[in-house]
Each structure stands twice: as structure tokens, then as C-alpha cells.
Amino acid sequence: MTVDTPTRIPADNARASERDSAAEAVRRAVADTSKHEVPAAGDAATLPAPHEPLCAPVTVINSSDPEFNAAVADLEHTLIGLFARVRTTIRERAELLRPGLQPGAYKALGTIISHGSLQAGELAELLGSDRSTTSRLIRQLVEHDLIVRTPDVHDGRVINLSATDAAIAGIQELREAGRSRLYENMRDWETEDIARLSHMLRELTGLV
């Protein structure tokens, strides 16, 4: 019985065959690209269309009443000043509570105190910040001994954040001092005016 043995191809012939195949592939690629016409410079009709804008231009709608427009513009300017003052107050209180404490950490601490106990994800959602920013604020509060992290009683994998007694006392003292100044500065206001202002601010909050 005769068994056919496969014919061995010399290594040099195999490499030559591979080179020929590669060269043929290059020739095909060049031939394919030559089938597509390249638009001539300055030929706008053949150039690709520009991308559409992501959104339409913003149009400012004004009332036909110039006094109304001026009043709204003045309100906007006043609110900008008010928000700036609030940010300054938060920064000052954070520094008084713990030197070097960031305003964001102070705000996070106040949020934790208001809710009693929060998880990191819940705190991030309430602050409107991402997880990395919230983690940095939590770390700073822990370093200043303002909050503690404790495992949840129902699920040990869950960590709850709660304020320390010193943090609660410090925040309460700062808030009472600020409230006392507000009471003193508004002593000459009519009670009805204060109630009306509070009501209008709540309505404005739903509009902005």
C-alpha cells in the first residue's frame, strides 16, 4: 500500500507567495480608490455639507412694555447680587466652622444634618454633584471630624453618613448668629411685607 506524502513547499517559495499576495492586495486597493472622484478645490457642490447646529440660536423675548422689561432686568441683576452674597456667606461660615473647610463641604454637611443620615449616592443627588466630587467633600468632612461613616444596620455593605455632635452644634451656632442678624436688619419691616416676600420668592424659585 502506497501512502502519498504531502509535498513540502520550500520556505523561500512560501515567502515569495506571501509577497505576491500582499502586492496584489495593494494593487486592488489603489484601483478601488481610483474609482472615487475627488472634488476639485473650490467646488462647493461636491463638498460635504457642514454639520447642523446643535441647537437653534437663543432668542430673547421682551415685552412691549419698556417699564416691564426694565423691571425684569433689574430683578435679574438683583438676584445675581443676592446669589453672590449667599456664596460669600457660605464661604465665611465654612471658614468659621473649620479653617480651610471648603464651601461645598459646608453645604454637604448642612444637607446631611437636615436629613439626619444619608448615603453617598443620596448626598450626591441632593447636591447635584457627581460621585467623585461628593467623595472628595465626604473625605474632607471626615478629616475635620464633622461626620462619621457607619455601616447600615440592615446591610453592612451600605455606609451611612451622619454628622458629629460637634458639627451639629457648630452649624446651629452659625445659623442662629445669621438669623439674629437677619432679625435685627429686618426689624423695621412690616410682617405682611416679609410674608409677601417669602411667598414671591417661592414662586420665583419655580420659574428660574
Side-chain angles (χ1 to χ4, degrees):
M1 179 176 181
T2 304
V3 178
D4 294 334
T5 56
T7 304
R8 294 182 177 273
I9 300 176
D12 292 341
N13 292 343
R15 285 193 291 270
S17 178
E18 291 175 357
R19 286 195 300 269
D20 292 342
S21 298
E24 181 62 23
V26 172
R27 283 194 294 271
R28 290 198 193 99
V30 172
D32 289 340
T33 55
S34 64
K35 296 177 183 178
H36 301 282
E37 296 182 359
V38 179
D43 188 359
T46 58
L47 293 177
H51 293 292
E52 294 294 332
L54 296 179
C55 61
V58 177
T59 302
V60 178
I61 301 176
N62 292 327
S63 168
S64 58
D65 184 355
E67 293 184 359
F68 176 83
N69 294 335
V72 172
D74 183 62
L75 173 62
E76 182 182 20
H77 180 75
T78 302
L79 288 176
I80 292 174
L82 175 61
F83 296 154
R85 180 55 193 160
V86 169
R87 288 193 296 269
T88 300
T89 300
I90 293 176
R91 184 170 62 251
E92 292 172 349
R93 290 185 180 183
E95 187 67 22
L96 288 172
L97 184 63
R98 291 289 189 278
L101 185 67
Q102 296 180 2
Y106 180 89
K107 183 179 178 181
L109 177 60
T111 304
I112 293 173
I113 292 176
S114 298
H115 289 79
S117 177
L118 288 173
Q119 298 171 15
E122 296 171 335
L123 179 61
E125 184 176 355
L126 290 170
L127 295 176
S129 60
D130 55 59
R131 292 295 184 94
S132 60
T133 300
T134 304
S135 297
R136 176 172 51 80
L137 298 177
I138 292 173
R139 185 166 57 252
Q140 187 178 35
L141 291 173
V142 171
E143 291 173 352
H144 284 282
D145 297 323
L146 294 172
I147 65 171
V148 292
R149 291 186 274 201
T150 56
D152 188 82
V153 293
H154 301 293
D155 188 349
R157 297 170 299 178
V158 177
I159 301 299
N160 293 321
L161 309 171
S162 56
T164 62
D165 292 339
I168 295 174
I171 289 288
Q172 183 175 358
E173 181 180 354
L174 290 170
R175 287 177 175 175
E176 288 179 353
R179 192 175 296 115
S180 296
R181 286 194 299 271
L182 184 62
Y183 287 163
E184 183 64 27
N185 293 335
M186 300 188 72
R187 183 180 297 276
D188 296 333
W189 285 47
E190 295 292 338
T191 303
E192 293 79 5
D193 291 338
I194 297 175
R196 188 180 302 110
L197 174 61
S198 179
H199 173 72
M200 295 179 70
L201 286 175
R202 281 195 297 269
E203 287 192 340
L204 181 62
T205 301
L207 298 177
V208 297

